[in-house]
Amino acid sequence: MKQRIITAVIAAALFLPIVIVGGLPIVLLAYLLASVGLYELAKMKNIKLVSFPGIVSLLTMWLLILPKDYMGFLSGTGMEKHEIAILAVLLLLSYTVATKNRFTFDDSSFMVMAVVYVGAGFYFFMETREAGGLIWLFYSLFIMWATDSGAYFIGRAFGKRKLWPEISPNKTVEGAIGGVVCALLVALAFLLFSDIDASPLKLLVITALLSVFGQLGDLAESAFKRKYNVKDSGKILPGHGGILDRFDSLLFVWPLIHLFQLI
């Protein structure tokens, strides 16, 4: 626990100032985190990132998460992001032929899903910061931290009924509910002490939904790890595991926050 706390404090000290500054620093941070996340997923599947499918996937993800303000270089090509992404899919499928199926259709599908899953999450991380302002990004971080902490401590204290033992044996129904309750308390604090642009009812409903989806993101990552028989997605964060171990909930939450901002 001591190591987890020390790592969390150091990571927050590095992460939060970049979030506050925004602009190019947050773009570079998103690219770094997304690249490490894709590496962690590829490693689970025993696909090297420094390989033809790995490089194609990495370049495609970099293109997909490129913010709108940096899209000028594509204007002369006459191509859109999704058209280049389709080309990448065709390249991956062609590679299954070139390798005589040593790199399979399943491998191609895995890498495409990994690119969309990780890339979309960190793209909307930047969009949440730039479109919604700093307050919405802080809101997303704090409600997910509250959800994770509430689920952990309330689950340990009162948990009896297993939530999804086939995927994550330690999670409980009581912990999941406790996580939602803690997230709602944080949302109330934002309503009382910040200028977040949302009515009380809307924010509380959104918070409950985001807390649930954040926990689904955590379970999805647990399902990955159980499928590929790994304990953590990586070792870059001592006591916490990898980038995906820390951002799995937020990768589900940031796209939804962007959607809610449009409503």
Side-chain angles (χ1 to χ4, degrees):
M1 179 61 72
K2 182 179 179 181
Q3 187 181 52
R4 287 175 63 90
I5 293 173
I6 292 173
T7 300
V9 170
I10 294 173
L14 296 172
F15 181 77
L16 292 178
I18 296 175
V19 169
I20 292 170
V21 171
L24 181 59
I26 203 171
V27 173
L28 296 176
L29 177 63
Y31 268 76
L32 175 62
L33 295 175
S35 299
V36 176
L38 184 64
Y39 163 78
E40 291 174 351
L41 279 175
K43 187 178 179 182
M44 291 184 197
K45 189 68 171 169
N46 292 319
I47 298 173
K48 294 181 179 180
L49 208 57
V50 183
S51 65
F52 181 80
I55 292 172
V56 168
S57 299
L58 185 63
L59 292 177
T60 303
M61 186 184 71
W62 285 354
L63 177 67
L64 290 176
I65 67 177
L66 191 66
K68 297 172 184 176
D69 293 343
Y70 296 82
M71 289 293 294
F73 78 96
L74 274 182
S75 59
T77 68
M79 298 184 71
E80 301 289 341
K81 280 185 178 183
H82 68 277
E83 294 171 330
I84 297 176
I86 291 171
L87 177 61
V89 172
L90 297 179
L91 285 173
L92 290 175
L93 292 175
S94 299
Y95 190 64
T96 65
V97 178
T99 61
K100 299 179 181 179
N101 224 26
R102 290 192 302 275
F103 180 81
T104 67
F105 181 85
D106 287 345
D107 294 329
S108 299
S109 302
F110 180 91
M111 292 307 293
V112 170
M113 184 180 68
V115 164
V116 174
Y117 165 51
V118 178
F122 282 110
Y123 173 78
F124 285 110
F125 161 62
M126 294 182 290
E127 282 294 297
T128 299
R129 171 64 179 89
E130 298 306 318
L134 187 60
I135 189 66
W136 279 99
L137 194 51
F138 271 119
Y139 160 79
S140 69
L141 294 171
F142 279 100
I143 64 167
M144 282 300 99
W145 290 339
T147 296
D148 290 345
S149 300
Y152 177 76
F153 288 108
I154 293 175
R156 289 196 65 178
F158 304 105
K160 293 181 180 179
R161 291 170 290 180
K162 297 295 183 181
L163 178 64
W164 218 304
E166 297 86 357
I167 293 177
S168 187
N170 295 326
K171 288 183 171 57
T172 63
V173 173
E174 292 81 5
I177 295 172
V180 175
V181 171
C182 289
L184 289 171
L185 292 175
V186 169
L188 284 173
F190 270 86
L191 285 169
L192 292 173
F193 303 111
S194 78
D195 59 350
I196 193 166
D197 184 20
S199 67
L201 178 60
K202 178 182 177 180
L203 191 67
L204 292 176
V205 170
I206 289 173
T207 300
L209 290 173
L210 292 178
S211 182
V212 170
F213 272 90
Q215 293 185 64
L216 285 173
D218 190 7
L219 286 168
E221 178 64 17
S222 296
F224 274 135
K225 292 186 290 187
R226 184 164 291 274
K227 167 68 175 176
Y228 297 106
N229 196 29
V230 295
K231 183 179 183 296
D232 295 313
S233 66
K235 299 179 181 179
I236 194 171
L237 300 171
H240 291 266
I243 292 299
L244 293 180
D245 292 313
R246 287 300 88 209
F247 287 89
D248 48 10
S249 299
L250 289 161
L251 292 179
F252 269 51
V253 163
W254 283 325
L256 291 175
I257 284 184
H258 182 73
L259 174 63
F260 288 137
Q261 287 175 320
L262 299 177
I263 298 176

